[in-house]
Amino acid sequence: MAGMLYICATPIGNLEDITLRTLRVLKEVDLIAAEDTRHSIKLLNHFEIKTPMTSYHEFNKYDKAVQLVEKMKQGINIALITDAGTPAISDPGEELVKQCHAAGIEVTSLPGPSAFVTALTISGKPTRRFCFEAFLPYDKKERAEVLEELKKETRTIMLYEAPHKLKKTLKDLYETLGDREISLCKELTKKHETNFRTTLSAAIAHYEQEEPKGEFVLVIEGVSRAELIQEEMQGFLAMTIEEHMQYYTDQGIDKKEAMKKVAKDRGVSKRDIYQALL
């Protein structure tokens, strides 16, 4: 019989957060695939886990995944862990899971700690709807495109950022999104856990005076629907009615339906649009 892949969440700070099920599985599997074996050996030693480890990280994720899948085909059970938190979330484990499914290998996940979920729950921001963007892209053009998309995001926005890049990211967010409310969370579950609730402009000023330290989770308020609708309406009102019609017909919408949309956008009746076009 083929083996299985167990996705095992590990503590993001406080070792007491590991689950009993995860401890049992880490002891019972044949092999543990770890992002950094030097880091993970400390966790395993703490809980007296003697299971062999192998490295699986961003720089070997494709070739090593092939090897691990082959082992599972031969009946080997493997646990996947990352340095902290839940594997396969903005993590090379995503590739291993993908290859397992392609090969018909069973995959299960042992739930546990996750930095962005932990930060969201203490942020005070709306939690019913949120989007997780992980780290913003390094490429300048792609980064600008993602930021422009986030400008119209109505859900709570979650980002990760390293301390040496925090100041630039805060400035980029402020320039694109405007002055939004933000929670900057770090040292989660640890003794010096911090939830700095402020605004983007105040955060920029704060970190000009104090050098950022620690890995950050940024929780940013989304734009309100009312504000978004108002901005769109202002944009449409800046157009002539003919330009507004062209905006929709260029999308393949027929003239009759386009007139309905234009009327709705401008807060007038369809008859008014018809008369204006005549």
Side-chain angles (χ1 to χ4, degrees), residues 230-240 244 265-267:
Q230 184 64 29
E231 287 179 3
E232 288 179 349
M233 183 174 287
Q234 289 175 353
F236 287 135
L237 292 177
M239 299 179 182
T240 64
H244 201 162
D265 292 341
R266 302 175 87 91

Side-chain angles (χ1 to χ4, degrees), residues 113-184:
S114 176
F116 79 86
V117 173
T118 304
L120 178 62
T121 57
I122 67 172
S123 69
K125 300 291 181 291
T127 60
R128 188 179 72 84
R129 300 171 65 252
F130 62 91
C131 69
F132 173 60
E133 282 289 336
F135 292 93
L136 288 174
Y138 297 130
D139 179 78
K140 190 173 182 180
K141 182 180 178 182
E142 187 182 359
R143 186 183 181 92
E145 290 172 349
V146 171
L147 284 168
E148 195 60 34
E149 289 175 4
L150 293 179
K151 185 177 181 179
K152 296 183 178 181
E153 180 57 70
T154 58
R155 297 170 295 179
T156 299
I157 302 165
M158 312 285 300
L159 298 173
Y160 286 160
E161 194 50 277
H164 62 287
K165 295 180 179 178
L166 180 68
K167 289 193 279 188
K168 179 183 183 336
T169 293
L170 289 174
K171 289 176 182 177
D172 287 347
L173 289 167
Y174 177 76
E175 289 171 4
T176 308
L177 308 185
D179 201 12
R180 305 272 187 93
E181 289 186 0
I182 181 173
S183 288
L184 297 97

Side-chain angles (χ1 to χ4, degrees), residues 2 62 71 88 96 129 148-150 193 198 215 221 226 241:
Y62 298 108
K71 287 181 182 294
L96 179 56
R129 300 171 65 252
E148 195 60 34
E149 289 175 4
L150 293 179
E193 177 178 279
T198 182
E215 300 295 322
E221 69 170 336
I241 291 178

Side-chain angles (χ1 to χ4, degrees), residues 196-256:
F196 179 28
R197 302 178 71 237
T198 182
T199 61
L200 282 169
S201 61
I204 291 169
H206 176 81
Y207 288 110
E208 287 299 331
Q209 303 299 320
E210 180 180 311
E211 200 62 26
K213 294 179 181 179
E215 300 295 322
F216 287 83
V217 183
L218 310 182
V219 189
I220 309 155
E221 69 170 336
V223 66
S224 72
R225 290 182 182 278
E227 185 178 340
L228 196 59
I229 291 170
Q230 184 64 29
E231 287 179 3
E232 288 179 349
M233 183 174 287
Q234 289 175 353
F236 287 135
L237 292 177
M239 299 179 182
T240 64
I241 291 178
E242 288 78 7
E243 289 171 339
H244 201 162
M245 283 288 293
Q246 189 71 38
Y247 170 79
Y248 285 118
T249 56
D250 284 348
Q251 298 175 42
I253 297 172
D254 66 61
K255 191 172 181 180
K256 185 176 180 181

